[in-house]
Amino acid sequence: MVIFGGTGDLAMRKLLPALFRRFADGQIPAASRIIGVAREEQSLDDYRERVARALGDAVAGDGELAGRIPDFLRLLDYRPLDATRDAGWNDFAELMHVQGSERIRVFYLSTSPRIFVDLCQRLRQYGLNDASARVVIEKPIGHDLESACAINDAVGAVFEEQQIFRIDHYLGKETVQNLLALRFANALFEPLWNAAHIDHVQITVAETVGVEQRAGYYDHAGALRDMVQNHLLQLLCMVAMEPPSSLDSDAVRDEKLKVLHALQPINDDNAERLTVRGQYRAGAANGGAAPGYLEDLGQNSSDTETFVALKAEVGNWRWAGVPFYLRTGKRLPARVSEIVVNFRAIPYSIFAEGSGTPTPNKLVLRLQPDEGVKLWLMAKYPGPGGLRLTCVPLDMSFADAFGVAQPDAYERLLLDVVRGNLTLFMRRDEVEAAWRWIDPILAAWASSGETPRGYTAGTWGPSASVALIERDGRTWHDDDS
Ligand code: BG6
């Protein structure tokens, strides 16, 4: 496995710790090689030391696991390479050929997308794109439809589609995979999984962090491109897709693609009614004072949104009239990602007025933190004092139910690349269909001449987000309510 961008933040915080955990679990043979590649000159010892520090941080508190770090470091190699210069590429190619072409080779492009094209061309030039090769690309895959197509064309000129693994790490999260198990391994839900029984769906991905060290990238992206185009739409697809005929990668991706195609357009005509953009102002976060976005950015002005709420609709028989409310933002009060499926109200109540009003059932799939599933049901409050209805959850925390730690999304996804399993990766047409839906929203915002609404850091976004859902007589799910 070759990690281009091998000294970068993603490699150090996510990729190498994920590989290390899989190694410690015995899933990566000792004969494997992990080769970090970056532009800077440094010795292998220095690189290993850096990685050792990163792994030490990642497994802090687990002495037994930390004891395995030296074994893992023996798998590591380092090569200084620049995609735009010839120097070093011959040696690198030789190293890869010495390793034997019958071996699976994974090229992980954990770099700026600006050099995806150069890197792929180099790999071809040195004969490294044969059938044993796989390439992994990280978002952002483009800035809009046109640039996404350009990246897909360039990567596709070097690798076959089945060699290209477009990562959306949300698909590797345990709860998202569990959504497949929940929907398709239980007879209970599927008959109810449609407009006749579901009132609406909410998908929230809330973060407490601000833009941190990534202001440069983020200010050119914004929450719609950074989160909605990929993670939130992928979650929506997993909820809304028809049952695929198998877990075969194309069977699943064909169904997701149909959902993306069925999304009703949001454009100049309706964007004002169906979307809300926000940008955080100074406020509070994580128990202390937090600066506003412009201060984080170090600029006087920016029209970039750090919060989006929108109402999407899937135009097909299953979902006609069922809104999917999506919201995501930085500097919100809690780090919470969840999908909330709200069922319809019962048709008629047999209970006396004083018993309390039956609340519609809700199925809450919690992606993070505390991964699990909660099914909110009506029950009788215990006691002889008359029949009082109350809403209580059937609460399954995966950690409690299985007694094992939840692996990081990258652990599953990296091994899937090695196994050649594309089911949890995005196909070219999915990425492009998502952009085809997102572009008109961006265009509508640009032509509206309006700027994002301010919200205080540590709150749930602009009040217009509350109004967006309350106009329809609904409210955002709050687990404490
Ligand atoms: C990334 C975004 O894809 O996902 C980040 O670029 C965001 O802005 C991150 O913070 C959230 O991922 P997670 O797994 O921490 O919810």
Side-chain angles (χ1 to χ4, degrees), residues 398-420:
F398 296 155
D400 293 349
F402 301 107
V404 290
Q406 300 297 299
D408 185 76
Y410 280 98
E411 295 180 44
R412 162 74 196 251
L413 295 176
L414 284 165
L415 287 198
D416 273 358
V417 177
V418 177
R419 294 183 196 114

Side-chain angles (χ1 to χ4, degrees), residues 139 169-170 173 207 214 226-227 231 330 335 368:
K139 61 175 273 273
H169 76 281
Y170 266 63
K173 291 193 189 269
E207 299 184 276
R214 300 161 72 229
D226 185 49
M227 298 295 288
H231 307 323
K330 303 232 180 250
R335 178 169 186 255
Q368 59 199 23

Side-chain angles (χ1 to χ4, degrees), residues 2-8 35-39 47 77-82 89 92 111 119:
V2 182
I3 305 177
F4 290 97
T7 53
I35 304 170
V37 172
R39 272 183 306 194
Y47 185 59
D77 204 338
Y78 178 78
R79 296 288 145 145
L81 281 182
D82 184 333
W89 279 91
F92 173 69
T111 63
L119 280 174

